[in-house]
Amino acid sequence: AESVRLGEEPPAGIGPTGGRRPVLRRAGVASIHPGIPESPWARGEPVFVPPKSPYIDVLFSGCSHLEPVLDAGPGTWFDRDPARARIIREHGIHSMMIVPIRARRAVLGVVVFIRTEEPTPFQEDDLLLAEGLVTRAALALDNARQYAREHTAALTLQRTLLPHRLRDSAAVEVASRYLPADADTGVGGDWFDVIPLSSARVGLVVGDVVGHGINAATMVGGFRAAVRTLADMDLPPDELLAHLDDTVQRLAEEDEDRYADGQ
Protein backbone atom coordinates (compact mmCIF):
# COMPACT_ATOMS: atom_id res chain seq x y z
CA ALA A 1 0.00 0.00 0.00
CA GLU A 2 1.19 3.51 -0.78
CA SER A 3 0.58 4.62 2.81
CA VAL A 4 2.97 1.92 4.09
CA ARG A 5 5.63 3.06 1.65
CA LEU A 6 5.34 6.60 3.01
CA GLY A 7 5.65 5.42 6.61
CA GLU A 8 1.97 5.89 7.47
CA GLU A 9 -0.50 3.42 8.89
CA PRO A 10 -1.97 0.89 6.42
CA PRO A 11 -5.51 1.76 5.26
CA ALA A 12 -6.79 -1.81 5.27
CA GLY A 13 -7.73 -3.35 8.58
CA ILE A 14 -8.95 -6.92 8.82
CA GLY A 15 -12.69 -6.92 9.38
CA PRO A 16 -15.34 -4.24 8.62
CA THR A 17 -13.91 -1.21 6.87
CA GLY A 18 -15.03 2.15 5.64
CA GLY A 19 -14.54 0.97 2.10
CA ARG A 20 -11.79 3.38 1.07
CA ARG A 21 -9.87 1.69 -1.69
CA PRO A 22 -6.12 1.79 -0.94
CA VAL A 23 -3.56 2.98 -3.44
CA LEU A 24 -1.10 0.20 -4.25
CA ARG A 25 2.42 0.52 -5.61
CA ARG A 26 4.69 -2.21 -6.92
CA ALA A 27 7.31 -2.77 -4.20
CA GLY A 28 9.11 -5.71 -5.78
CA VAL A 29 8.85 -7.99 -8.80
CA ALA A 30 10.74 -11.05 -10.06
CA SER A 31 10.32 -13.50 -12.93
CA ILE A 32 12.03 -16.30 -14.82
CA HIS A 33 11.68 -14.14 -17.95
CA PRO A 34 14.22 -11.36 -18.67
CA GLY A 35 12.63 -7.94 -18.49
CA ILE A 36 9.54 -9.35 -16.71
CA PRO A 37 7.20 -8.84 -19.68
CA GLU A 38 4.24 -10.40 -17.84
CA SER A 39 4.12 -7.50 -15.36
CA PRO A 40 2.32 -4.37 -16.62
CA TRP A 41 3.92 -2.31 -13.84
CA ALA A 42 7.60 -1.96 -12.99
CA ARG A 43 8.93 -1.71 -9.46
CA GLY A 44 7.95 1.63 -7.92
CA GLU A 45 5.00 2.27 -10.22
CA PRO A 46 1.38 2.58 -8.99
CA VAL A 47 -0.70 -0.54 -9.65
CA PHE A 48 -4.29 -0.31 -10.84
CA VAL A 49 -6.68 -2.50 -8.86
CA PRO A 50 -10.34 -2.84 -9.94
CA PRO A 51 -12.83 -2.02 -7.16
CA LYS A 52 -14.39 -5.48 -7.34
CA SER A 53 -11.57 -7.99 -7.67
CA PRO A 54 -9.75 -10.64 -5.63
CA TYR A 55 -7.11 -8.02 -4.79
CA ILE A 56 -9.61 -5.90 -2.88
CA ASP A 57 -11.16 -8.97 -1.25
CA VAL A 58 -7.74 -10.07 0.04
CA LEU A 59 -6.86 -6.58 1.29
CA PHE A 60 -10.05 -6.20 3.32
CA SER A 61 -10.53 -9.79 4.47
CA GLY A 62 -6.92 -10.68 5.24
CA CYS A 63 -7.50 -14.09 3.61
CA SER A 64 -5.54 -15.54 0.70
CA HIS A 65 -7.06 -16.14 -2.72
CA LEU A 66 -6.24 -19.24 -4.78
CA GLU A 67 -7.31 -19.43 -8.41
CA PRO A 68 -5.87 -22.71 -9.81
CA VAL A 69 -7.29 -22.09 -13.27
CA LEU A 70 -7.24 -18.42 -14.15
CA ASP A 71 -10.11 -17.33 -16.39
CA ALA A 72 -9.60 -13.93 -18.01
CA GLY A 73 -12.51 -14.31 -20.39
CA PRO A 74 -15.65 -12.16 -20.72
CA GLY A 75 -17.98 -12.11 -17.74
CA THR A 76 -15.20 -12.27 -15.13
CA TRP A 77 -13.70 -9.52 -12.99
CA PHE A 78 -11.17 -8.96 -15.75
CA ASP A 79 -13.88 -7.08 -17.66
CA ARG A 80 -12.99 -4.16 -15.37
CA ASP A 81 -9.27 -4.64 -15.98
CA PRO A 82 -8.68 -5.15 -19.73
CA ALA A 83 -4.96 -4.31 -19.56
CA ARG A 84 -4.31 -7.10 -17.06
CA ALA A 85 -6.52 -9.50 -19.05
CA ARG A 86 -4.51 -8.81 -22.21
CA ILE A 87 -1.22 -9.49 -20.43
CA ILE A 88 -2.60 -12.76 -19.05
CA ARG A 89 -3.64 -13.99 -22.50
CA GLU A 90 -0.45 -12.85 -24.22
CA HIS A 91 1.90 -14.55 -21.74
CA GLY A 92 -0.10 -17.65 -20.93
CA ILE A 93 -0.67 -16.89 -17.25
CA HIS A 94 -2.94 -19.74 -16.18
CA SER A 95 -2.81 -19.94 -12.37
CA MET A 96 -2.62 -17.32 -9.60
CA MET A 97 -2.33 -16.90 -5.84
CA ILE A 98 -2.85 -13.63 -3.93
CA VAL A 99 -1.51 -13.64 -0.37
CA PRO A 100 -2.01 -10.74 2.09
CA ILE A 101 0.98 -9.18 3.84
CA ARG A 102 -0.48 -9.19 7.34
CA ALA A 103 0.98 -7.55 10.44
CA ARG A 104 -0.86 -7.01 13.74
CA ARG A 105 -4.39 -7.17 12.31
CA ALA A 106 -3.54 -4.87 9.45
CA VAL A 107 -2.81 -5.65 5.81
CA LEU A 108 0.26 -3.86 4.44
CA GLY A 109 -0.26 -5.07 0.88
CA VAL A 110 -0.45 -8.27 -1.15
CA VAL A 111 1.94 -10.66 -2.86
CA VAL A 112 0.83 -12.14 -6.18
CA PHE A 113 2.17 -15.45 -7.50
CA ILE A 114 1.50 -16.46 -11.11
CA ARG A 115 2.44 -19.38 -13.32
CA THR A 116 3.17 -19.27 -17.03
CA GLU A 117 5.44 -22.01 -18.42
CA GLU A 118 4.95 -24.52 -15.60
CA PRO A 119 1.70 -26.27 -16.67
CA THR A 120 0.71 -27.56 -13.22
CA PRO A 121 -1.84 -25.28 -11.53
CA PHE A 122 -1.21 -23.94 -8.05
CA GLN A 123 -2.60 -26.21 -5.33
CA GLU A 124 -3.35 -25.84 -1.62
CA ASP A 125 0.17 -27.00 -0.73
CA ASP A 126 1.60 -24.21 -2.87
CA LEU A 127 -0.63 -21.71 -1.09
CA LEU A 128 0.56 -22.91 2.33
CA LEU A 129 4.19 -22.49 1.27
CA ALA A 130 3.49 -19.02 -0.14
CA GLU A 131 1.71 -17.95 3.06
CA GLY A 132 4.69 -19.06 5.14
CA LEU A 133 7.09 -17.03 3.01
CA VAL A 134 4.86 -13.96 3.09
CA THR A 135 4.43 -14.22 6.87
CA ARG A 136 8.20 -13.97 7.31
CA ALA A 137 8.35 -11.03 4.91
CA ALA A 138 5.48 -9.30 6.75
CA LEU A 139 7.34 -9.58 10.06
CA ALA A 140 10.46 -8.01 8.55
CA LEU A 141 8.42 -5.21 6.96
CA ASP A 142 6.55 -4.48 10.16
CA ASN A 143 9.77 -4.35 12.17
CA ALA A 144 11.22 -1.94 9.63
CA ARG A 145 8.09 0.24 9.83
CA GLN A 146 8.23 0.36 13.62
CA TYR A 147 11.93 1.23 13.58
CA ALA A 148 11.36 4.00 11.02
CA ARG A 149 8.45 5.41 13.01
CA GLU A 150 10.38 5.40 16.31
CA HIS A 151 13.45 6.86 14.64
CA THR A 152 11.42 9.70 13.15
CA ALA A 153 9.76 10.40 16.49
CA ALA A 154 13.09 10.40 18.34
CA LEU A 155 14.73 12.65 15.76
CA THR A 156 11.82 15.09 15.87
CA LEU A 157 11.80 15.09 19.67
CA GLN A 158 15.52 15.69 19.95
CA ARG A 159 15.46 18.52 17.42
CA THR A 160 12.59 20.08 19.34
CA LEU A 161 14.45 19.90 22.66
CA LEU A 162 17.69 21.43 21.41
CA PRO A 163 17.76 25.26 21.33
CA HIS A 164 16.80 26.61 17.91
CA ARG A 165 18.07 30.13 18.41
CA LEU A 166 20.87 31.20 20.70
CA ARG A 167 20.66 34.76 21.97
CA ASP A 168 23.82 36.74 22.50
CA SER A 169 24.22 38.66 25.73
CA ALA A 170 26.48 41.37 27.06
CA ALA A 171 28.70 38.63 28.50
CA VAL A 172 29.20 36.29 25.57
CA GLU A 173 28.53 35.68 21.90
CA VAL A 174 27.26 32.15 21.29
CA ALA A 175 27.40 29.91 18.23
CA SER A 176 26.67 26.18 18.08
CA ARG A 177 26.69 23.18 15.80
CA TYR A 178 25.17 19.81 16.65
CA LEU A 179 26.61 16.65 15.05
CA PRO A 180 25.24 13.39 16.55
CA ALA A 181 27.81 10.67 17.11
CA ASP A 182 25.51 8.12 15.46
CA ALA A 183 25.65 9.47 11.93
CA ASP A 184 23.50 6.64 10.58
CA THR A 185 20.43 7.45 12.68
CA GLY A 186 21.08 11.07 13.62
CA VAL A 187 19.66 10.42 17.09
CA GLY A 188 21.65 10.42 20.31
CA GLY A 189 21.47 11.44 23.92
CA ASP A 190 23.77 14.47 23.67
CA TRP A 191 22.35 17.91 24.36
CA PHE A 192 23.34 21.47 25.12
CA ASP A 193 21.72 24.66 26.31
CA VAL A 194 22.51 28.33 26.92
CA ILE A 195 20.78 29.82 29.98
CA PRO A 196 20.83 33.57 30.76
CA LEU A 197 21.62 34.23 34.44
CA SER A 198 21.62 37.27 36.65
CA SER A 199 24.47 39.80 36.81
CA ALA A 200 25.27 39.44 33.09
CA ARG A 201 26.21 35.79 33.54
CA VAL A 202 25.46 32.90 31.19
CA GLY A 203 25.16 29.20 31.92
CA LEU A 204 26.63 26.94 29.23
CA VAL A 205 25.37 23.37 29.61
CA VAL A 206 26.52 20.26 27.75
CA GLY A 207 25.19 16.83 28.65
CA ASP A 208 25.29 13.25 27.43
CA VAL A 209 22.51 10.77 28.16
CA VAL A 210 23.56 7.14 27.81
CA GLY A 211 21.76 5.42 24.94
CA HIS A 212 20.10 6.43 21.71
CA GLY A 213 16.63 6.64 20.31
CA ILE A 214 13.30 7.73 21.76
CA ASN A 215 14.19 6.95 25.39
CA ALA A 216 17.37 9.00 25.29
CA ALA A 217 15.60 11.90 23.59
CA THR A 218 12.85 11.82 26.24
CA MET A 219 15.43 11.89 29.04
CA VAL A 220 17.05 14.91 27.43
CA GLY A 221 13.77 16.78 27.85
CA GLY A 222 13.58 15.96 31.54
CA PHE A 223 17.19 16.91 32.24
CA ARG A 224 16.97 20.11 30.23
CA ALA A 225 13.89 21.19 32.17
CA ALA A 226 15.55 20.28 35.48
CA VAL A 227 18.69 22.26 34.69
CA ARG A 228 16.69 25.32 33.69
CA THR A 229 14.58 25.11 36.84
CA LEU A 230 17.66 24.82 39.03
CA ALA A 231 19.38 27.62 37.15
CA ASP A 232 16.45 29.94 37.91
CA MET A 233 17.25 29.41 41.60
CA ASP A 234 20.61 31.10 40.93
CA LEU A 235 22.58 28.30 42.60
CA PRO A 236 26.37 28.00 42.35
CA PRO A 237 27.44 25.43 39.72
CA ASP A 238 28.49 22.81 42.27
CA GLU A 239 25.15 23.00 44.12
CA LEU A 240 23.25 22.93 40.85
CA LEU A 241 25.06 19.77 39.78
CA ALA A 242 24.45 18.18 43.17
CA HIS A 243 20.71 18.83 42.87
CA LEU A 244 20.76 17.55 39.28
CA ASP A 245 22.53 14.38 40.43
CA ASP A 246 19.76 13.83 43.00
CA THR A 247 17.18 14.26 40.24
CA VAL A 248 18.96 11.74 38.01
CA GLN A 249 19.15 9.21 40.85
CA ARG A 250 15.45 9.64 41.62
CA LEU A 251 14.47 9.18 37.97
CA ALA A 252 16.66 6.08 37.74
CA GLU A 253 14.98 4.59 40.82
CA GLU A 254 11.53 5.34 39.40
CA ASP A 255 12.49 3.62 36.12
CA GLU A 256 13.68 0.56 38.07
CA ASP A 257 10.39 0.46 40.01
CA ARG A 258 8.36 0.69 36.80
CA TYR A 259 10.45 -2.07 35.23
CA ALA A 260 9.98 -4.29 38.31
CA ASP A 261 6.22 -3.70 38.27
CA GLY A 262 6.13 -4.56 34.57
CA GLN A 263 7.88 -7.86 35.22
Side-chain angles (χ1 to χ4, degrees):
E2 176 77 350
S3 59
V4 174
R5 179 174 174 266
L6 297 176
E8 302 169 359
E9 288 300 313
I14 300 173
T17 178
R20 184 170 69 90
R21 185 154 56 100
V23 177
L24 299 181
R25 187 176 292 271
R26 179 77 79 207
V29 60
S31 171
I32 61 173
H33 302 125
I36 318 178
E38 64 271 39
S39 176
W41 301 279
R43 185 166 62 90
E45 292 182 347
V47 177
F48 171 73
V49 177
K52 293 184 179 180
S53 66
Y55 294 91
I56 297 297
D57 294 340
V58 169
L59 279 170
F60 288 147
S61 69
C63 299
S64 301
H65 173 81
L66 171 62
E67 202 159 342
V69 180
L70 191 58
D71 182 8
T76 64
W77 64 271
F78 287 102
D79 289 343
R80 295 178 290 274
D81 193 353
R84 191 179 266 111
R86 186 187 72 255
I87 290 291
I88 287 173
R89 289 191 293 268
E90 289 178 354
H91 296 279
I93 301 173
H94 62 86
S95 191
M96 179 177 70
M97 297 185 296
I98 305 175
V99 180
I101 307 174
R102 297 176 49 171
R104 292 180 293 129
R105 291 195 57 78
V107 180
L108 310 182
V110 298
V111 180
V112 182
F113 299 86
I114 59 173
R115 271 187 173 167
T116 55
E117 295 184 9
E118 167 60 50
T120 306
F122 284 127
Q123 303 295 331
E124 290 291 341
D125 289 345
D126 299 309
L127 182 60
L128 290 175
L129 175 60
E131 288 176 335
L133 293 172
V134 174
T135 296
R136 296 176 64 181
L139 178 61
L141 286 171
D142 193 49
N143 288 340
R145 289 176 62 247
Q146 291 189 63
Y147 172 81
R149 187 163 55 246
E150 291 177 2
H151 171 258
T152 300
L155 189 60
T156 301
L157 179 59
Q158 180 155 32
R159 287 175 176 172
T160 301
L161 293 173
L162 293 175
H164 296 283
R165 190 177 70 176
L166 301 176
R167 296 181 179 179
D168 294 333
S169 68
V172 64
E173 293 182 358
V174 182
S176 69
R177 185 184 183 191
Y178 181 77
L179 293 175
D182 190 347
D184 293 333
T185 65
V187 180
D190 305 323
W191 58 289
F192 66 94
D193 205 352
V194 179
I195 306 174
L197 302 173
S198 61
S199 303
R201 295 176 301 143
V202 176
L204 304 178
V205 185
V206 178
D208 182 12
V209 177
V210 176
H212 301 280
I214 190 72
N215 292 333
T218 303
M219 294 178 69
V220 166
F223 295 154
R224 182 171 183 262
V227 169
R228 281 189 164 267
T229 300
L230 294 170
D232 289 340
M233 299 170 63
D234 209 12
L235 299 172
D238 57 336
E239 292 185 23
L240 187 150
L241 290 175
H243 282 289
L244 181 61
D245 186 62
D246 292 339
T247 301
V248 171
Q249 293 293 337
R250 186 174 65 255
L251 291 175
E253 292 173 359
E254 291 175 355
D255 285 341
E256 290 178 359
D257 292 340
R258 283 195 296 269
Y259 180 78
D261 292 340
Q263 293 298 313

